[in-house]
Amino acid sequence: MVFGIAHLAAGSWRRRRNGEFHMPGVSVLPELNPAEDAPPSPQRDLLQSWLDARIADMRAIFARPASAMTKADPAAILALLQHHEFNYQSKGKTAHLAPDLLETFGRLIAADQPLPIYFLFHGGYRTNVRGGALAHTFAPDQTELMLLWQVARLKARLDLIHAPGLRFAIVINNGVAFHTNAIPYEKTNAYVAHLRRMIERLGAQDHVWVLNQAELGDFSAHMARVEVLPKPGISEAEHGIVERFLGRSCSVEEASLKIATYERAEAVWGAEVRAIVAEAGGFFCRQIGHPACLSFRPFPGGAIRVQNGAVTFRLAGGAVKPAFVTPLTWDREMPQGLPLRLSLFDGIHPAPFPAEEKARLRA
């Protein structure tokens, strides 16, 4: 598991390449659709306009038909998926995947079918980042919006070379979340419903869909005969990850068993996913580099498992740059809350689930 990208705290100095110094922009974390309208401010207006523009662009991209006039070259599709805009792995590290991917692309091109991409996302919830509270977020927010922006950007580029476009599946493994961490299906299924509502409001439902593990059957039944032994000698960092995913503190002994359970459950679920993807004639991507598949950036510039935190934005010089903050980097980044009103999120509340204790954050 990957913790995230550490950023300097707002107000600290950063060295330029030419040796000069400048103040980096302020880091902000949107508070979507607050109860009361916030007063105007340059920061609020800048981010509001930037996000409104991204939403408008997504709606236009998802509504626009493809413009490709000839059949795609499989190599051109592979080059697009390996481009740094969408993939942070080097081509050398993914070279061994090329033969199978090129064969898959050739088959889909010959059949005039969209590319079935299965993106392994998370368990239907994210860990809270604010102040180290052991809490969970069960609704999509700007983090999921940036993922959908990435998908829209990929569609726009793919439509130029492959008219059938793509079918992008966001894979939610909430069966694993329930079995390993007792995360209630009621909450993760509500997250899926909200995410599907976002997709529909963007007009993306013909191109993006959610594969919800809970709708495939009882995952715990598949794990009934799987033996799990505690993982010996876990680190402080691993202990902290378990506590954040659980949403409560736990002993080293429990964490050792949980980590082993995660590994076995992911292996069982991974086999199920591979069978689903194979039946669809597609391929899958992860958020982090992995030898078995391509990566896909979950937000512009991102190389992180987003279950560990939330996308923030750095505002500097009239520019907006998505960034990422985790419980471990919160105190260094110290994002400022910035109330924003986006109609896309009406009825979708990304407030963290209340917690009664603070995390013992481990470096």
Side-chain angles (χ1 to χ4, degrees):
M1 296 183 183
V2 182
F3 276 111
I5 303 169
H7 297 278
L8 295 176
S12 61
W13 292 97
R14 183 177 294 170
R15 183 182 294 273
R16 287 181 176 177
R17 290 182 179 178
N18 62 9
E20 298 178 357
F21 289 89
H22 76 292
M23 288 288 286
V26 65
S27 178
V28 298
L29 182 64
E31 298 171 354
L32 299 173
N33 293 10
E36 297 182 0
D37 287 333
S41 73
Q43 294 173 352
R44 182 175 182 270
D45 292 345
L46 172 60
L47 185 55
Q48 181 89 52
S49 297
W50 190 87
L51 288 173
D52 282 340
R54 301 289 82 73
I55 292 170
D57 288 344
M58 278 187 268
R59 286 175 170 149
I61 290 170
F62 287 126
R64 189 167 60 221
S67 57
M69 301 301 294
T70 59
K71 286 188 178 294
D73 176 2
I77 294 178
L78 179 59
L80 174 59
L81 292 170
Q82 290 178 319
H83 192 276
H84 65 83
E85 185 175 353
F86 307 110
N87 189 314
Y88 44 83
Q89 297 163 292
S90 69
K91 291 184 179 179
K93 289 186 176 181
T94 58
H96 64 288
L97 302 173
D100 287 343
L101 288 171
L102 291 173
E103 181 182 352
T104 297
F105 300 156
R107 183 175 65 252
L108 294 167
I109 291 168
D112 285 325
Q113 293 181 350
L115 299 184
I117 302 175
Y118 289 76
F119 180 58
L120 308 184
F121 200 36
H122 55 52
Y125 72 102
R126 300 201 319 274
T127 60
N128 180 46
V129 297
R130 297 174 183 268
L134 283 171
H136 294 146
T137 296
F138 289 100
D141 56 21
Q142 71 281 351
T143 306
E144 284 76 10
L145 183 64
M146 288 296 95
L147 168 61
L148 294 172
W149 172 231
Q150 283 289 89
V151 178
R153 295 166 76 191
L154 177 62
K155 179 186 180 300
R157 297 276 297 276
L158 184 63
D159 283 349
L160 299 175
I161 59 175
H162 183 58
L166 57 74
R167 281 282 288 162
F168 193 98
I170 301 173
V171 180
I172 302 298
N173 61 338
N174 57 351
V176 172
F178 175 77
H179 177 78
T180 58
N181 294 332
I183 306 299
Y185 278 121
E186 178 185 3
K187 297 182 183 298
T188 57
N189 283 335
Y191 167 88
V192 169
H194 285 148
L195 182 56
R196 285 171 171 164
R197 187 181 307 170
M198 272 186 65
I199 292 168
E200 291 173 357
R201 289 177 177 177
L202 290 169
Q205 63 272 14
D206 290 339
H207 313 284
V208 186
W209 63 289
V210 182
L211 172 61
N212 183 15
Q213 186 184 17
E215 297 168 357
L216 301 177
D218 182 6
F219 178 72
S220 291
H222 298 180
M223 293 292 297
R225 297 183 180 180
V226 176
E227 182 181 10
V228 180
L229 299 175
K231 180 179 180 180
I234 68 169
S235 67
E236 288 287 297
E238 289 174 315
H239 191 176
I241 291 172
V242 171
E243 289 187 329
R244 288 194 294 282
F245 283 9
L246 278 173
R248 60 173 174 81
S249 58
C250 68
S251 66
V252 173
E253 291 75 18
E254 183 180 5
S256 299
L257 181 59
K258 286 291 182 184
I259 287 180
T261 305
Y262 296 161
E263 293 174 353
R264 297 304 304 272
E266 288 292 352
V268 173
W269 170 235
E272 293 183 21
V273 168
R274 285 192 292 273
I276 293 170
V277 173
E279 185 176 356
F283 58 100
F284 64 94
C285 298
R286 296 177 185 264
Q287 299 169 64
I288 59 176
H290 192 280
C293 61
L294 294 175
S295 66
F296 183 79
R297 294 185 185 273
F299 67 95
I304 182 66
R305 280 192 59 163
V306 300
Q307 188 163 3
N308 292 314
V311 169
T312 61
F313 299 94
R314 182 169 289 283
L315 311 181
V320 176
K321 182 179 180 180
F324 198 79
V325 65
T326 75
L328 293 180
T329 61
W330 176 269
D331 288 340
R332 282 175 282 175
E333 184 70 6
M334 290 303 293
Q336 301 177 12
L338 191 65
L340 293 179
R341 189 162 297 280
L342 298 173
S343 61
L344 181 70
F345 290 94
D346 286 343
I348 297 175
H349 306 289
F353 186 71
E356 297 180 354
E357 59 178 314
K358 296 290 184 178
R360 299 193 300 272
L361 297 184
R362 296 170 168 85

